Amino acid sequence: MQLTEISANERFRLIAEFEPTSESFLAWPERRDNWRDGGKPAQVMFRRLAELIAQYQPVTVLVSREQYQNAYYQIGQKTKVVEMSFDDVWLKDTGP
C-alpha cells in the first residue's frame, strides 16, 4: 500500500522516545557505503537487539530482497521479517 493522500482529519505524529510502544521496527544493515563488511558485524548486533526487544514486544525487521534469506535465517524464528526496500536503518525519520 502506498499512502498518496492524507485527509485533514488524520493525526499522524512521531512518538517521543519515552512513550510506550506496542511494536518495534528495525531495518537490516547492509549498505556497503555505510556499513563495514557489507553490514555483517552490524547484523550480529541487530540480531541481538531484535532478540532482546522481542522478549517484551513484537519486532518487525525490514530486509531487502538480497538479504531476506540471510536475515530470516538469523532472526526469523523470533521476529517478523518483511521484504521491503529502504535507504538506511534509521527508521525514526523514514519508517512507519
Side-chain angles (χ1 to χ4, degrees):
M1 179 178 91
Q2 182 176 4
L3 185 62
T4 58
E5 187 177 303
I6 299 174
S7 93
N9 295 329
E10 298 292 341
R11 298 194 183 264
F12 292 101
R13 68 180 185 83
L14 291 174
I15 62 169
E17 294 292 334
F18 57 83
E19 290 184 84
T21 59
S22 59
E23 183 173 1
S24 290
F25 286 80
L26 299 173
W28 195 245
E30 65 175 281
R31 282 181 48 184
R32 295 190 181 282
D33 60 334
N34 280 2
W35 299 97
R36 179 171 45 94
D37 296 329
K40 298 288 185 234
Q43 289 169 5
V44 171
M45 300 311 294
F46 274 62
R47 185 191 78 226
R48 291 179 184 165
L49 177 62
E51 290 172 348
L52 177 65
I53 296 170
Q55 293 177 27
Y56 304 98
Q57 63 181 239
V59 177
T60 297
V61 181
L62 309 179
V63 181
S64 72
R65 176 179 289 142
E66 295 79 19
Q67 283 287 315
Y68 183 86
Q69 292 295 330
N70 175 40
Y72 187 83
Y73 174 76
Q74 290 192 55
I75 58 175
Q77 300 77 24
K78 298 180 177 150
T79 68
K80 184 190 308 180
V81 178
V82 175
E83 182 186 311
M84 180 180 286
S85 62
F86 54 90
D87 184 49
D88 198 6
V89 300
W90 184 244
L91 293 176
K92 187 75 170 174
D93 292 336
T94 61

